[in-house]
Amino acid sequence: MAASTPQGTLRQRNVGASSKKNKDAASSDTELDKLIKSTGVKPPAAGSETEYKIVFVFITAMAFLTRFWGISHPNEVVFDEVHFGKFASYYLQKTYFFDVHPPFGKLLFAFMGWLVGYDGHFHFDNIGDSYIANKVPYVAFRSLPAILGALTVSVVYMIMWESGYSLPACIVAAGLVLLDNAHIGQTRLILLDATLVFAMACSLLFYIKFYKLRHEPFSRKWWKWLILTGFALSCDISTKYVGLFAFITIGSAVVIDLWDLLDIKRPGGALSLPEFSKHFAARAFGLIILPFIFYLFWFQVHFSILTRSGPGDDFMTPEFQETLSDNIMLANSITIDYYDTITLKHKETKTYLHSHPDKYPLRYDDGRVSSQGQQVTGYPFNDTNNYWQILPVVDDQKLGVHVKNHDLVRLRHLVTDTILLSHDVASPYYPTNQEFTTVSIADAFGDRAADTLFEVRIENGKANQEFKTISSHFKFIHNPSKVAMWTHTTPLPEWGHKQQEINGNKAIAPSSNVWLVEDIPSLPADHKRREKEEKKVKTLPFLQKWFELQRSMFWHNNQLTSSHPYASLPFQWPFLLRGVSFWTQNDTRQQIYFLGNPIGWWIASSVLAIYAGIILADQFSLRRGIDALDHRSRSRLYNSTGFFFLAWATHYFPFFVMGRQLFLHHYLPSHLASTLVTGALVEFIFTGDSSEQEVAHHGAKSGKKAAVAKRHMTARDRFAGQSMLGSWIAAIVILTLAFAGWYFFLPLTYGYPGLSVDQVLRRKWLGYDLHFAK
Amino acid sequence: MAGSDRATAASGIDVGDARQRNVAAVQQQPTIVEKTEVDDKKKAAKKGPSVLDVLDQWEWIYAPLIFTALAFFTRFYKIGISNIVTWDEAHFGKFGSHYLQREFYFDVHPPAGKLLVGLSGWLAGYNGTFEFKSGEKYPEELNYTFMRQFNAFWGAACVPLAYWTAKALNLKRPAVWLVTLMVLCENSYTTISRFILLDSMLLFGTVLTTLCWAKFHAQRTRAFEPEWFLWLFMTGLSIGFVTSIKLVGLFVTALVGLYTIEDLWAKFGNTKMPAVELAAHFTARVVGLIVLPFLVYLLSFAIHFAVLTNSGPGDAQMSSLFQANLRGTEVGRDSPLEVAFGSRVTIKNMGYGGGLLHSHVQTYPEGSGQQQVTCYHHKDANNDWFFYPNRREEDYNPEADPRFIADGQTIRLIHAQTGRNLHSHEISAPITKVDKEVSCYGNLTIGDEKDHWKVEVISDAASRDRSKIRTLTTAFRLKHETLGCYLRAGNVNLPQWGFKQIEVTCTKQNKPRDTYTHWNIEAHTNEKLPPGDPGSYKSPFFKDFIHLNVAMMTSNNALVPDPDKQDDLASQWWQWPILHVGLRMCSWDDSIVKYFLLGNPLVYWGTTAGLGVFALLVVWYTLRWQRGYKELSQWDVDQIHYAGFYPVIGWFLHYLPFVVMARVTYVHHYYPALYFAILTFGFLVDWFLRNQKKAIQYIIYGILDTTVIGLYIYFIPICWGMTGPNKQYSYMKWFDTWRMSDA
């Protein structure tokens, strides 16, 4: 059969339909990767780019100016500074804390604080707390994101420059970031996003640099930019996990690049498989392994700084907590024996299990009746009525026997000499929950014996684990009915002295059922059981600690689903439908409302749509055999601009499937990418010869092939002899509009001056929920 | 042939851009057909007259017959031994009964499948009076065996369809048999087909659609010939059928849709094709694959409405006018025509899928903490409201003459059961945060201006007179006097604390055309007023159709997993492909016949592994292609593309939605996806073995076939029913999660 013989199957790959499908799938991508190919091999045109340099300096200066202007205002805690300022303080005080974000961004703030000699005494508890009164070097803290935010503008400019775009295109892209209220607002405050966006922009820039060196693989410079790309990516993901999206962007470009390297008919000659493997390994090392090592490194720094026990202890396992010094658990944990007198504390509400001679009233207000037994309540202060003696099931008076996990015990209230009991009587507040009371010793060992038995169930405990003070968190389960001892903050009426109700909760699982034994008052302070040999702080292998923390972070990250009044949905972002209120001050009518520059955002978003439209029109016309673009324009449109578009898409669409609460600032990396596309398209649409313009406007009517120009060159060469007037006019128009929008919304970004009702109302475009509108 | 190949190749080398490639592709299509034809002829020529050859020659007739016979045997055998209502028979049997009783009911699934259940009941001579309570014994007069057989028919019919599908996908005979065997000897398919459920029909529809698609694809070179049209329209009909059973059918529709898009895209690139022909291709597909299925879908609803003419449990889902046209309904019967103060009414939201304004003693857990106000689809006394005058006017006097309510009048609404006023205030609604919360507050004397609502009439189907509000026919909005917002129920379900009922809010947006802010009076009683007959207006079919569909979507969305409710029958997506769990279809008492929903381990594990192998295969060939290896002929590529790739896409389409979907899922949701995994598996085995030595083929196919059959027989008690103590079946309990035995 001809089909199965070799020569029947031997077809030219690029012709046969066999290759067609693959090629088709690949072609759009392959082109994408050729990315900066057209700009490649740029002769070091010394001196020829003076105007680029001048503009660069100017834009950088403007960026610093806009970011630092009035950075000391407001001198109060703003929005999430509550979190990130606090974390910096924790680092400086070396107390262990827990957060869902990786440590890098927070470490930078701590470093800044350390540089200016701040000791971390202030804990940024509430929005609106004064920095002046609390003597916090907040300007130093804020200047870090401001520096990074300003440099982001420069990096955007350089991305365009390196990619070989014309000056107007560079200016448009950088200008849209420079004049963007969201970028300014987010990078003048103690927040992580400046670091994140800067690292993301750097990773794009470095990768472009790296890609331009593809004709000198494995050279020193080639390695330098590869490793820098990896480092930027690592900083990105070590700041927030959304940095993963940058990996997807760069990763896609790398995969396409590798695909081309694998091509047997690649222009530079086929690579042998060992050579290819070397390419592959170098990229895997530089862009995966190295970033991962950096990522781990920040955790190592994190662990080695945070050596003291702190607010984050509770998120970790006891083994982990024992690696922290000053840990109360380590110092005061004593094994409990039977016949010890103990005090039991409710973990969530911090009250002690308490009883007193008063009885439950016969009838409650709602008409239900009680057992009229002795009250058992929760009481937040030290008192001898909090003392309970722990008794074994068989009252054998044997001393020195340790209480173990899952043991059945009785609790004797010392002062009234009664035994704790629960039974099937509704509690004062909860008809569904069991009442807790006490009965006399005689009853407790007589006909009520079963109802006085409780099981000690240590959280995450193992069988036969010893029951200890402080460190053993446990649930106290009533044995016959399997309800858990529970309390809540609603105080009992007068008859219960406004103390807390204790009742039996049928739902055992909730963590609000957890108690701990705080102390053993029956042991004198100098008793030998209290003596501890000076225990050393334990150590755990780094990877084990990291793995535990990592798991805990992911778990808590997924729990962040609660709604926030200013949370928004991804589809709202490109249209800038909603901002976030960061800070308000009633006396001066000042407010910071986090919002992008609407004009800039709308321009950038509509350009994205135009780009998609052009690509679609081009694909359709190509399909019909109409080739309206010259090779160079298409390559640039698909590869370079396509790369920016890919960056936008990969930083945007994943948010649609995310379940956690989202805010406008999650769009900032995407917005940055959209400004790059805007700059590129301004050049595409407003320069070039007539045929190009026609395509842009009429979507492929002309079949005329554009001029053949295969040379690689700088923007200056590319547009030699062409009128750049169109681009310049477009750039000026766009930037003027953006400037107007930026200026109009400045009071909301910088937080001053305060606005009158009328002024606020005029800024309520699209119904932005601003304050002081009345 | 080779020459022409080379010619195209030569012409393409230097150009190699998109355009040229397409031309080549088109030219090659005829050659493929030629090749396969030659192939067949050669095969035929080799045939001698021996017995084996005769067998070989007539395989296309007797093989499907044998498989079908076996399918009917395995699906029908002992089908009636369990005489109790098993598992979801409780639902679908009941829906069938509603058709026989012609009572209007509501369900999330489209009607076709349940209509067929009703039909089977009718054929069995069942009168529709049995309630199908779960676990209850079937009454003597109900021929449930027939009803089950009717369902089993669809399940059995999948087997020959699978045979023809595999054949249409160009698999060789042993692979075709293997695929058919895997469908035949699939325990989960067997079990699910033996009860009064929709799944056997759904499976049948999915398998049939795939067959029609494959047949249509095989006709691609004979466009616009009768057979081409036949399979195009068959595909369309089949899509219509399957989507009218369960909306899961949309996934196989998507598969056909993707194929069509790819196909048209290829034709679009063929610049040699005249525009008229291209347009004809396009139109034929629009008609065959969109219009036709939609008509089938419409038809199923038309029959649904035509059969269900009596009032029943699903009334409240529909518009008031629709209800008024049902026999035996209360709506519109003897109600006074015009509404006056003191009238006791139920108020219906006029948006698609809208319910009745409802309140109950439970309070909001957040926001104001006052009594909840919701929209509810069941009729109970908590839907009743009294019209009262506002607090500025003279109080309602039961003795005085009735005062009618006019457009623009400000009123209060008092909840009949709790005596509280419909109320709204400056507090965000629980879900739709931009709107205001609506609650019930105060009583006759306690209350404030925030209980005041202004009636704004939108339209009245019966009269131009705006001075009165009429039962059923007047559409009005309720505007909150102090906040200026409108009462709205936008089909957003509340969480469990609101019993998944619909959230009622007060919206600031004044959109007169937003039907979710439109309300009408449904039930109306007022002793002072003379009874009338307001329900003499018909509601148009299309309106009912859309209304019912929206209602189906909204209540489907409400089927999200409920952390407060434990459901040990439910399972998760990752458990299915690895056959991690089964499902007990009835109680596990020793005295009853027990059925356990579990698949054939080889089929499940083999096909899941096959998906991975397929991915490797594709990666392998792509990399090799990029390295310049030319080992695949055009026929090979097409084979991977259509017999391998499309089934994998089908698997993804039927599987991924359940991964992202946040609703309760069960093992049987995987069954349509499994079918595509089986096809992929068949393709792979065929791919690797088709050019091997006969001996190797015999051995491997022999092992696969016997294992499939052996395991099927080994596990057959779970399908045919396990009688006696479950301990004696513990031999099948390979894992603790396979709970066919308590031992």
Side-chain angles (χ1 to χ4, degrees), chain B residues 359-361 371 382 414-420 440 442-443:
Chain B
S359 182
H360 39 230
V361 288
Q371 184 171 312
N382 270 330
I414 294 185
H415 187 237
Q417 290 291 308
T418 57
R420 300 189 187 280
C440 257
N443 55 29

Side-chain angles (χ1 to χ4, degrees), chain B residues 249-325:
Chain B
L250 287 176
F251 303 147
V252 73
T253 312
L255 178 68
V256 176
L258 284 178
Y259 169 80
T260 310
I261 289 170
E262 194 205 323
D263 187 34
L264 286 177
W265 182 246
K267 293 196 164 51
F268 184 70
N270 180 2
T271 41
K272 297 251 168 61
M273 185 183 277
V276 181
E277 196 184 333
L278 189 63
H281 271 291
F282 184 76
T283 321
R285 281 165 180 81
V286 169
V287 172
L289 302 177
I290 296 175
V291 177
L292 191 62
F294 186 67
L295 287 178
V296 174
Y297 188 71
L298 272 186
L299 180 71
S300 72
F301 278 88
I303 300 175
H304 180 75
F305 288 134
V307 173
L308 301 178
T309 51
N310 295 338
S311 160
D315 286 11
Q317 293 286 348
M318 301 301 290
S319 70
S320 303
L321 266 186
F322 178 87
Q323 294 179 43
N325 285 300

Side-chain angles (χ1 to χ4, degrees), chain B residues 312-571:
Chain B
D315 286 11
Q317 293 286 348
M318 301 301 290
S319 70
S320 303
L321 266 186
F322 178 87
Q323 294 179 43
N325 285 300
L326 292 173
R327 244 188 317 244
T329 181
E330 296 286 304
V331 176
R333 293 288 174 276
D334 305 326
S335 307
L337 199 60
E338 287 139 354
V339 181
F341 285 119
S343 283
R344 185 188 181 113
V345 297
T346 61
I347 302 172
K348 173 91 174 173
N349 186 279
M350 294 185 76
Y352 289 120
L356 293 164
L357 191 66
H358 179 96
S359 182
H360 39 230
V361 288
Q362 283 80 6
T363 55
Y364 285 109
E366 56 209 55
S368 68
Q370 293 170 8
Q371 184 171 312
Q372 296 173 15
V373 172
T374 65
C375 251
Y376 191 46
H377 282 119
H378 291 274
K379 296 191 173 173
D380 70 19
N382 270 330
N383 300 335
D384 288 355
W385 301 82
F386 282 112
F387 272 98
Y388 261 66
N390 67 46
R391 296 183 188 280
R392 295 181 296 263
E393 290 177 15
E394 102 184 65
D395 209 8
Y396 168 63
N397 177 6
E399 306 305 320
D401 282 342
R403 279 148 59 200
F404 292 102
I405 295 159
D407 185 15
Q409 202 156 351
T410 300
I411 52 115
R412 270 188 303 156
L413 282 170
I414 294 185
H415 187 237
Q417 290 291 308
T418 57
R420 300 189 187 280
N421 305 293
L422 188 71
H423 182 93
S424 183
H425 36 224
E426 273 289 353
I427 294 174
S428 284
I431 312 283
T432 318
K433 298 271 184 206
V434 288
D435 290 355
K436 303 292 167 229
E437 179 189 280
V438 175
S439 65
C440 257
Y441 176 67
N443 55 29
L444 271 181
T445 46
I446 300 173
D448 54 22
E449 302 263 295
K450 288 179 185 161
D451 302 336
H452 287 170
W453 299 85
K454 190 174 162 195
V455 178
E456 292 186 6
V457 173
I458 297 289
S459 66
D460 193 325
S463 165
R464 294 174 151 270
D465 170 27
R466 295 275 175 113
S467 68
K468 281 168 187 164
I469 304 226
R470 290 173 188 77
T471 312
L472 292 182
T473 54
T474 306
F476 57 89
R477 293 193 293 171
L478 288 172
K479 182 178 184 176
H480 193 259
E481 211 181 45
T482 42
L483 297 177
C485 55
Y486 290 93
L487 191 70
R488 184 173 196 273
N491 280 348
V492 178
N493 295 100
L494 289 172
Q496 194 55 40
W497 56 254
F499 311 101
K500 300 276 164 74
Q501 293 172 9
I502 292 175
E503 182 196 30
V504 171
T505 63
C506 195
T507 177
K508 292 261 184 193
Q509 282 168 323
N510 179 6
K511 287 193 212 144
R513 263 186 264 166
D514 178 4
T515 52
Y516 293 110
T517 59
H518 295 185
W519 304 83
N520 68 278
I521 307 290
E522 188 169 295
H524 177 199
T525 47
N526 191 333
E527 291 167 359
K528 289 269 172 60
L529 299 171
D533 187 14
S536 47
Y537 296 88
K538 279 255 180 285
S539 75
F541 168 72
F542 266 98
K543 210 165 176 189
D544 295 341
F545 170 76
I546 298 173
H547 196 104
L548 184 53
N549 272 278
V550 174
M552 279 159 50
M553 301 303 155
T554 6
S555 71
N556 217 346
N557 287 341
L559 288 180
V560 292
D562 181 356
D564 309 338
K565 249 194 264 168
Q566 198 95 50
D567 189 352
D568 59 345
L569 293 180
S571 50

Side-chain angles (χ1 to χ4, degrees), chain B residues 714-729:
Chain B
Y714 181 85
F715 283 103
I716 203 72
I718 64 172
C719 315
W720 285 354
M722 296 180 273
T723 48
N726 63 55
K727 299 268 189 298
Q728 71 191 69
Y729 297 100

Side-chain angles (χ1 to χ4, degrees), chain A residues 402-464:
Chain A
H402 298 325
V403 184
K404 303 247 172 70
N405 191 12
H406 298 307
D407 274 4
L408 293 182
V409 301
R410 291 191 173 90
L411 285 184
R412 183 172 79 98
H413 189 241
L414 273 192
V415 177
T416 58
D417 196 21
T418 50
I419 304 278
L420 185 72
L421 166 141
S422 178
H423 49 190
D424 191 13
V425 172
S427 80
Y429 280 158
Y430 283 74
T432 51
N433 290 14
Q434 289 202 58
E435 182 190 270
F436 269 60
T437 180
T438 63
V439 290
S440 68
I441 303 268
D443 281 351
F445 288 96
D447 35 328
R448 308 299 301 273
D451 275 342
T452 54
L453 285 179
F454 291 85
E455 179 193 342
V456 174
R457 205 177 277 182
I458 300 176
E459 288 287 278
N460 308 316
K462 299 171 191 75
N464 281 329

Side-chain angles (χ1 to χ4, degrees), chain A residues 301-333:
Chain A
V301 174
H302 178 81
F303 289 137
S304 47
I305 291 180
L306 301 177
T307 51
R308 293 190 195 158
S309 149
D313 289 9
D314 289 348
F315 293 90
M316 314 309 291
T317 57
E319 296 85 62
F320 188 103
Q321 293 182 32
E322 288 181 354
T323 64
L324 301 168
S325 66
D326 288 342
N327 189 329
I328 357 169
M329 268 196 186
L330 203 67
N332 299 331
S333 189

